[in-house]
Amino acid sequence: MNAKISEILISSPFDSNLLNACMKSENIHAGEESIMASIISHAIVTNNVNLLNTIKIPSYAVIKSKVGNAYTLIQGNFCDSIWKCIPLQSHEILSPEKQKRIPIIEAIDHIETYHCYISDLFLKFTKNIAFVDLKKDYLGKDTTITSSSFPLLPLTVFLSPKALKHIPPNTVSDMPSYRLLAENLLHEAIHQQVNLTLVEKDIFCAEYSSELSPKIQIEWRKKQGIKRNQAWELDRVLHAITVYVNLVKFRRKEVVLFNTDNLISQYIKSSLPEGLDALDYLSKSLLLYKNFFTENGYDLVSELRKKALVEISKAKKLCY
């Protein structure tokens, strides 16, 4: 077993430094070890000592990219004490047949081959992938996610079949594509990176609370008819800005690298203006809340705004 994972198993689950070590480990192997890293991280975040004594590993398969990097495909349920903490109670984990794993592998290959500038980040923060869908009992009652990841279960990404057709905020393809899935996988890896940044560094002032945070209105979710999350807390907006800065670059490169006569390329190109509008709005809005950040935190927000403006400028040349 990986030495860092062993250290976490025998050490106090209340030490945030161990969480950092677990999430930052470059040598976690796919399979049981990567799942354990995620579960142990969950135990540390939730201070659940008992979980470390009764770790139950869900069934899984190891998938490999063309360059040989290994990832873990979760095929069974996490134990109840973990799953009840994850806000996906209306969804269930699927066990995809080998044929249905192909788009996931193609998406990973796509990132590693054509987006080398960010493939290391992707590999570091994407250890486990779980394919989910809405439970039958919730059809018509809830909305299927596209993709999600959660601070309470680090290193794990949840994807639904929608991830092959939808990229945020509003672009929906008529046909499934591993290229759209690649963006959604990368989207969640960046969220995981931001989660670690918030653990490692003092970004928000000591008095900040996500539950009591002021909220920024998200107009495009209202237009989508999505009832939940129509206004976002400041930490969620910070997440979104970081994601969009990177995804605008991803989309730019997709447009440049691939023939825009291709239908999927057309969808990706058409998604750029919406992504730019969202990035501009969020990065500008967050600057108005300086009092909620530490000095270093506000420097980060200001730097993200600068990066946003650079990406917006470059992308507009492709859009218009």
Side-chain angles (χ1 to χ4, degrees), residues 99-115:
Q99 190 67 22
K100 293 183 179 179
R101 299 177 196 170
I102 292 175
I104 298 175
I105 298 171
E106 289 176 329
I108 292 170
D109 287 337
H110 189 74
I111 293 170
E112 293 181 348
T113 303
Y114 296 105
H115 297 275

Side-chain angles (χ1 to χ4, degrees), residues 13 22 31-32 37 100 105 148 194 197 224 248 252 255 264 309:
C22 192
E32 183 171 318
K100 293 183 179 179
I105 298 171
S148 289
V194 178
T197 299
Q224 285 178 310
V248 166
R252 275 199 304 107
V255 171
I264 297 302
L309 290 174

Side-chain angles (χ1 to χ4, degrees), residues 238-254:
L238 178 65
H239 267 270
I241 295 168
T242 310
V243 168
Y244 274 115
V245 164
N246 285 281
L247 292 191
V248 166
K249 183 175 182 177
F250 179 90
R251 291 175 187 179
R252 275 199 304 107
K253 290 190 173 292
E254 286 287 299

